Amino acid sequence: MIRLIPDWLLYIIVIVTVVFVLFRIDQRADAPEALPDQPEIGAFLPPPSIYDPEVLVEVGPVASGLGSAFAISEDGWWVTARHVVDACERVGIIVGQGSATPVTEVKVALFADLALLKTDGAPAALALDTSERRFQVGQRAYHVGFPQGRPGEAYSRLIGRETLVARGRYEVEEPVLAWAELGRTGGMRGSLAGISGGPAISASGQVIGVTVAESARRGRIYTAAPSSILRLLRVEQVEAEGRPSPRLTPQNYGEESDDLRRELIVAQVVCVAPGDGPRR
């Protein structure tokens, strides 16, 4: 049986914040210019290098808000971005209007913007693709979650690698994959804030990254690398046991993303910051 977080928790979230924004990209950072959409698949993705461009982000102070997550096992393990849940007093997975199931464990990565969440169970789970060496420049990714606090998605093509340098509430440097945004559904404009922690899914339906940051001005989306996801699973001794989603295309990814959210494979995360709980 799903245990519910009281309604007051969700009311707090609505009052405290509308859009969950903790990462701000320094626009002075070295990043490639936007590239035109080309259907051709290019060279294989090279390994991380000290010569990879850096993208600078600022991790703001902990605040109540909303993010995205996805299930990786039906026994209740989820993946999200570290900055979505780090230092929260309470964390929950929204399972319906006005209700959420509590997260009983939060395991953050110290080397990447990643975290694992544990609940009593999950309806279904997504499969991971960790064959990073076989990724090719130009391949597509479909980013699913809750941008601006509501259901939404975008799709992109792989540009290459960069090094994400986070400063602020915590500090970390990690190799990430950089994607050029090609489109989004639902007529959404502006920032994708709130999609952080959601999966980046390949055309074949497997998770190939976790969305962790964006540069709206440059049209860039950044995802934690599959190697970082695999490292976190090994450190925490968590086994991922999911299934691929149906194949995704620019024509059907909106409908398929809706199905993933409807089935609670991709869900919204609630963070309650210390001090934002009920007063007695």
Side-chain angles (χ1 to χ4, degrees):
M1 179 178 295
I2 294 177
R3 294 178 290 129
L4 302 182
I5 293 178
D7 290 343
W8 58 259
L9 187 152
L10 298 180
Y11 299 149
I12 289 171
I13 300 305
V14 174
I15 294 171
V16 172
T17 183
V18 175
V19 179
F20 185 48
V21 183
L22 288 182
F23 261 13
R24 184 173 70 247
I25 295 183
D26 188 338
Q27 300 291 0
R28 297 169 297 176
D30 184 10
E33 295 300 323
L35 299 175
D37 183 13
Q38 297 176 350
E40 294 83 5
I41 301 298
F44 286 106
L45 184 70
S49 166
I50 61 172
Y51 302 110
D52 291 339
E54 290 186 351
V55 55
L56 306 179
V57 301
E58 179 182 339
V59 187
V62 62
S64 296
L66 303 169
S68 303
F70 60 97
I72 59 169
S73 71
E74 293 185 16
D75 61 352
W77 284 107
W78 305 71
V79 173
T80 188
R82 175 181 175 179
H83 72 268
V84 171
V85 296
D86 181 70
C88 299
E89 184 173 300
R90 295 185 183 88
V91 178
I93 299 290
I94 295 179
V95 295
Q97 187 172 2
S99 61
T101 188
V103 169
T104 56
E105 294 182 65
V106 177
K107 298 179 180 291
V108 301
L110 301 180
F111 51 84
D113 185 17
L114 290 169
L116 291 170
L117 310 178
K118 184 68 171 68
T119 62
D120 287 343
L126 284 171
L128 304 178
D129 179 359
T130 57
S131 60
E132 193 172 319
R133 293 181 179 179
R134 295 200 296 271
F135 289 6
Q136 292 177 273
V137 174
Q139 73 177 68
R140 299 294 188 264
Y142 299 87
H143 307 264
V144 184
F146 294 85
Q148 300 179 21
R150 61 181 189 268
E153 50 278 329
Y155 82 101
S156 64
R157 69 182 183 90
L158 181 60
I159 300 172
R161 292 189 186 273
E162 297 194 24
T163 300
L164 184 145
V165 181
R167 297 291 183 264
R169 176 157 43 94
Y170 59 80
E171 298 186 357
V172 69
E173 294 186 13
E174 62 171 307
V176 295
L177 305 188
W179 307 79
E181 184 180 339
L182 300 178
R184 56 179 70 179
T185 60
M188 183 172 294
R189 299 290 184 268
S191 173
L192 293 171
I195 204 171
S196 286
I201 305 175
S202 69
S204 62
Q206 295 175 297
V207 175
I208 54 175
V210 179
T211 304
V212 295
E214 68 159 338
S215 176
R217 183 172 68 86
R218 294 181 181 273
R220 297 289 185 268
I221 300 174
Y222 301 93
T223 63
S227 55
S228 297
I229 303 172
L230 187 59
R231 181 180 174 186
L232 177 59
L233 294 176
R234 288 172 174 169
V235 168
E236 300 298 344
Q237 299 183 334
V238 171
E239 186 172 355
E241 296 180 329
R243 296 182 297 275
S245 74
R247 292 189 62 85
L248 300 177
T249 69
Q251 290 72 42
N252 75 358
Y253 77 101
E255 294 180 359
E256 296 297 343
S257 297
D258 285 340
D259 287 343
L260 291 174
R261 286 183 292 258
R262 189 178 301 112
E263 296 168 12
L264 293 178
I265 300 171
V266 178
Q268 203 163 22
V269 179
V270 178
C271 162
V272 177
D276 283 350
R279 302 292 189 268
R280 292 185 181 274

